[in-house]
Structure formats: structure tokens, C-alpha cells
Amino acid sequence: MVLNFSDPTLFYILFTGIFLTCRIPIIGTGLKVVNTMLHESAHGLVAFCFSGKIQSIKLFSNTEGEITVKGSGRFATFLTAIAGYPLSAASGMGLLFLISEKQTELVIWILSGVSILILVLFIRNWFGAFWLIGFAAINGALIYFKLFNLINLACYIYVFVIITEAIYSPFAVFYLSFTNPKAAGDASVLSKITHIHPVFWGLVFTVGNGFILYYTIINFFPFPK
């Protein structure tokens, strides 16, 4: 049986199911780290482009991440801090475009390549290492055994996790910027750099990701004819 996720009914059932599954402890945590991996990789990419030296990347069991960069100036640090949410959302859009072009195996290779790269070069904690090894091993098995239906399913699961977290995470940061501004993640980091309250940066992330996701939905989500 070929799973046709371009069918709107199946597409939205899976999309809703992934969003709800991500809210379940343990199972949801394991899935959401896909987005954390891309989020921290986005920080690392921008830091690298501005000659920052990436000392470590950590992925945690609570789905948070941490990157340590040395040698970046103030402006480079600002761009590095602001890059995580919009670039991870844009990654979801780009991967969904590849899926729409029937390039599901390429999606698996890209995500596996990112996981192996940060595992070998930058990861510095046990949970992050074990998760990345498991992620790469699962993807490698799908490709090696040519399990095309499962490759297709895995691609949609990964991309839906990225997209749903691109919706949920900025709202969570925006909420934290009100209730606990010092623990509002990237919004707190940007507040220290700019001396602007984290609420502002939480709103920037929410609105910015909202535009990216709107463009993604109108261009790549299937609608009944």
C-alpha cells in the first residue's frame, strides 16, 4: 500500500496527530528534539558565517538546547541569537517543498547529515549524543533497507514536528517573557544584548514565524479541490 499524504484528509489527520503527540511526555520529547537540533544548528550556522568559533552544542531531555560560541562581536552575537526560530521555521518550509517535489529520500539525507555533523564536531552532552546516534541510525536503516513507505512517513513526521514547533515554541517563549523573563531563552539573550525587554523579542519571534508559516501553508499545504 502506498501512503498518499498529498490527500488533504490524510495530510491533516497526520498533521494534527503529530501536534498532539508532541504534547505527550517522553514520546513528544523525543520527537521535538528534531526541531531543537535544527534550531541550534541555525544558531551555529550564523555564528560560523560571522567567524564565531562553536565550542559546543547541547541537546537536553526537556527539548531545550544550548550553543556556546567564542569570538563573536556584539552584532554577530545578536544575529546568532535571533536566527534560531526563523531559520528553523524556514527549514520546515524548505523540507516541505522537497517533499512536494517527491524528494523524500533527500529530506532524510539532509536531516541525517545535520545530525551526524553536529554529533561528530560539536555535541557535548550524553543525551544529545544518544539522541543523535539513534536518529541517524533509524534514518540509515530506512534508507539501507529501502523502506520507501516508511521513508515517506518519516519525512512527514519530521517536517510536521518542525512546523508545529515553529508555531508552538515562539508562543511559549512569548509567554515566558511575561512570567519569567530571565528564563525566556533566546528572548532573554537578546534582551541582554539590546537592553530591550524579552517581551518584545518574544513578539518578534511569534510574528516572524507566523509570516513564514503563513507562506508555508498557502504554498505547500494541500487543500480540497
Side-chain angles (χ1 to χ4, degrees), residues 133-155:
I133 291 170
F135 181 74
I138 290 170
N139 293 335
L142 293 177
I143 292 173
Y144 180 80
F145 292 107
K146 299 180 179 180
L147 303 173
F148 296 115
N149 270 341
L150 291 180
I151 287 172
N152 192 24
L153 177 61
C155 283

Side-chain angles (χ1 to χ4, degrees), residues 25-52:
I26 301 177
I27 297 175
T29 297
L31 286 175
K32 287 191 289 185
V33 179
V34 175
N35 182 65
T36 307
M37 175 185 74
L38 287 182
H39 182 99
E40 299 306 322
S41 297
H43 287 311
L45 176 62
V46 174
F48 177 78
C49 289
F50 286 88
S51 301

Side-chain angles (χ1 to χ4, degrees), residues 7-191:
D7 174 68
T9 301
L10 187 56
F11 183 95
Y12 287 107
I13 288 174
L14 182 61
F15 183 83
T16 304
I18 293 302
F19 176 79
L20 295 176
T21 301
C22 284
R23 313 279 77 80
I24 299 173
I26 301 177
I27 297 175
T29 297
L31 286 175
K32 287 191 289 185
V33 179
V34 175
N35 182 65
T36 307
M37 175 185 74
L38 287 182
H39 182 99
E40 299 306 322
S41 297
H43 287 311
L45 176 62
V46 174
F48 177 78
C49 289
F50 286 88
S51 301
K53 183 179 180 181
I54 304 170
Q55 295 185 309
S56 70
I57 293 176
K58 296 179 181 179
L59 307 176
F60 299 111
S61 59
N62 63 356
T63 74
E64 293 181 0
E66 177 185 288
I67 184 169
T68 303
V69 179
K70 184 179 181 181
S72 294
R74 187 181 182 86
F75 182 64
T77 301
F78 169 81
L79 291 179
T80 299
I82 206 170
Y85 288 106
L87 287 187
S88 59
S91 296
M93 179 178 66
L95 294 173
L96 193 56
F97 167 75
L98 290 178
I99 291 175
S100 72
E101 295 294 314
K102 312 300 182 185
Q103 298 295 322
T104 53
E105 193 168 336
L106 179 58
V107 171
I108 294 291
W109 278 109
I110 290 172
L111 291 174
S112 299
V114 171
S115 68
I116 293 169
L117 179 68
I118 65 174
L119 171 66
V120 172
L121 297 180
F122 305 119
I123 205 69
R124 294 295 183 272
N125 70 317
W126 285 108
F127 175 83
F130 282 129
W131 187 92
L132 291 168
I133 291 170
F135 181 74
I138 290 170
N139 293 335
L142 293 177
I143 292 173
Y144 180 80
F145 292 107
K146 299 180 179 180
L147 303 173
F148 296 115
N149 270 341
L150 291 180
I151 287 172
N152 192 24
L153 177 61
C155 283
Y156 276 94
I157 290 174
Y158 297 152
V159 171
F160 285 168
V161 168
I162 296 164
I163 292 173
T164 57
E165 286 307 294
I167 298 169
Y168 182 84
S169 297
F171 276 110
V173 167
F174 188 44
Y175 175 76
L176 275 174
S177 66
F178 280 102
T179 60
N180 191 3
K182 293 183 178 179
D186 293 342
S188 300
V189 174
L190 287 166
S191 178

